[in-house]
Amino acid sequence: MVHHVYQAAGSPPSLDTVIRIRDFGFPIIIMTAYVAIVMAMTRASAAGPFLRRRLQRLGVPFVAWTLIYCAVHALLAPWLHSDRWFSPAVLVTGYVHLWFLSFLLMGTVVAVPFVRLALARDALVSSGVVACAVGVWYLAFVGPSLNQLVWTTYGDAFGPDMRIFLTQSTANFGYVPLGCGVGLLLLSAERPGAWRPHIPTWLPWLLFVAAFAIHMHAGTFISRLGFSLTLFLALLRAPEVFITHPWTQAIAGESYAIYLLHFGGARLMPRLLTKLGLPVDGATVVASAVVIFLGALALARALRRWGRVDWLLPPATSRRTA
């Protein structure tokens, strides 16, 4: 949300620090999604039906919302001063922010067979370590090069939707194996007799503070990895009262719906701020993101009360994974 308001405002340099703070967003969501897949697969009888249900649960809203957003964009094109056109490729890449659902769909196709094999061979620890190592290796060495290649060499050859999909996917793909690896290691730790290292609750948060300070100074792919991973591990040790709080459960359960619904508000908010004569700076962008977030949450809850919309707004897993 912060990023879309930032872009719609013309990406002013004064907001670079705000954008850097929000860098943990996609990594946390991706790792949480794939930890949830690992936990869900322990209850699945077979990989095939599980994969079909998962693809249907994400694929139907992905196609539906892509068509909805493209249609609305075409209708509002004169007001938006936009002359862009949409190719059939948008049903692969998604409309702007919907790249994320396409990314989750493709990542699931890769992750489910790997997790199923690890569970079938009872190789949770070794598979988890390998997956984490692959994720870190990709994010530290492969991802930055691929991302730079897309931006500098092929950026102008693609339409905006394909460019967003490729740049975001190459930047974030490593969090898929990382999430699977963390999920497998957490699952192995839950087994009777498993070795559980005693880690003080404060230690992950201390590491997070250090990683956060480094990322604010460096702003690189590697510092983003450290920032995101330490926050993710710290959140896994969050107090139970926080995890079970009704607001936490509501936000977690509606996370997909909030993501699907927030884009319109994020695009309109800078225009509203300008019309009201308010500066588009760090404070107003953060405040706008909170308003858009709460508005999308309220709209999602209202739509669920009015009818059966799970096929269009899939509820997310809110069960604690550790």
Side-chain angles (χ1 to χ4, degrees):
M1 272 165 253
V2 170
H3 182 70
H4 288 308
V5 175
Y6 167 80
Q7 281 192 321
S11 304
S14 60
L15 298 181
D16 287 348
T17 300
V18 176
I19 292 301
R20 196 169 291 179
I21 291 173
R22 72 96 181 97
D23 274 348
F24 68 87
F26 280 125
I28 294 289
I29 296 172
I30 293 167
M31 288 188 286
T32 301
Y34 286 96
V35 168
I37 282 179
V38 172
M39 299 304 172
M41 286 198 67
T42 62
R43 304 186 297 273
S45 57
F50 176 86
L51 184 58
R52 282 194 298 272
R53 288 194 302 271
R54 181 78 179 179
L55 294 180
Q56 182 180 17
R57 181 168 167 264
L58 292 175
V60 171
F62 167 71
V63 173
W65 282 104
T66 294
L67 295 175
I68 290 170
Y69 274 111
C70 287
V72 171
H73 186 107
L75 289 173
L76 297 181
W79 183 70
L80 296 172
H81 305 292
S82 171
D83 58 355
R84 65 173 296 191
W85 55 275
F86 298 98
S87 72
V90 76
L91 293 176
V92 176
T93 64
Y95 172 87
V96 189
H97 70 300
L98 296 179
W99 73 266
F100 185 61
L101 284 188
S102 179
F103 174 84
L104 287 181
L105 283 165
M106 296 180 185
T108 300
V109 173
V110 175
V112 167
F114 170 77
V115 173
R116 186 62 180 177
L117 184 62
L119 294 174
R121 294 186 174 182
D122 198 25
L124 303 184
V125 175
S126 59
S127 299
V129 170
V130 168
C132 288
V134 168
V136 171
W137 169 74
Y138 177 92
L139 291 165
F141 300 106
V142 180
S145 300
L146 281 178
N147 190 259
Q148 185 68 17
L149 181 67
V150 171
W151 270 115
T152 59
T153 306
Y154 300 109
D156 294 334
F158 300 116
D161 297 307
M162 179 64 78
R163 185 166 57 249
I164 291 171
F165 174 78
L166 290 176
T167 53
Q168 292 291 347
S169 296
T170 53
N172 292 289
F173 177 75
Y175 293 105
V176 174
L178 196 53
C180 292
V182 170
L184 291 169
L185 293 175
L186 290 173
L187 193 61
S188 69
E190 292 179 356
R191 293 188 166 182
W195 176 68
R196 298 181 181 87
H198 175 69
I199 301 176
T201 304
W202 54 266
L203 182 58
W205 290 104
L206 179 63
L207 294 174
F208 161 67
V209 171
F212 174 77
I214 292 171
H215 183 60
M216 288 298 98
H217 174 73
T220 65
F221 270 76
I222 296 178
S223 66
R224 181 191 185 215
L225 168 61
F227 172 36
S228 304
L229 187 56
T230 53
L231 177 58
F232 182 63
L233 296 176
L235 291 173
L236 289 175
R237 302 294 303 275
E240 191 70 28
V241 65
F242 171 77
I243 298 297
T244 58
H245 193 278
W247 269 101
T248 305
Q249 292 291 304
I251 291 172
E254 298 292 2
S255 55
Y256 283 155
I258 291 169
Y259 187 77
L260 289 167
L261 295 171
H262 83 277
F263 185 75
R267 299 297 292 181
L268 294 174
M269 185 60 75
R271 296 172 182 268
L272 178 60
L273 294 176
T274 301
K275 193 168 185 178
L276 294 174
L278 297 174
V280 183
D281 56 18
T284 54
V285 166
V286 172
S288 297
V290 172
V291 170
I292 294 164
F293 179 89
L294 294 176
L297 174 61
L299 179 58
R301 303 290 279 190
L303 290 173
R304 294 204 194 283
R305 285 196 297 268
W306 290 339
R308 297 180 61 85
V309 294
D310 286 359
W311 65 275
L312 193 60
L313 298 172
T317 301
S318 58
R319 187 181 73 87
R320 185 173 187 171
T321 56

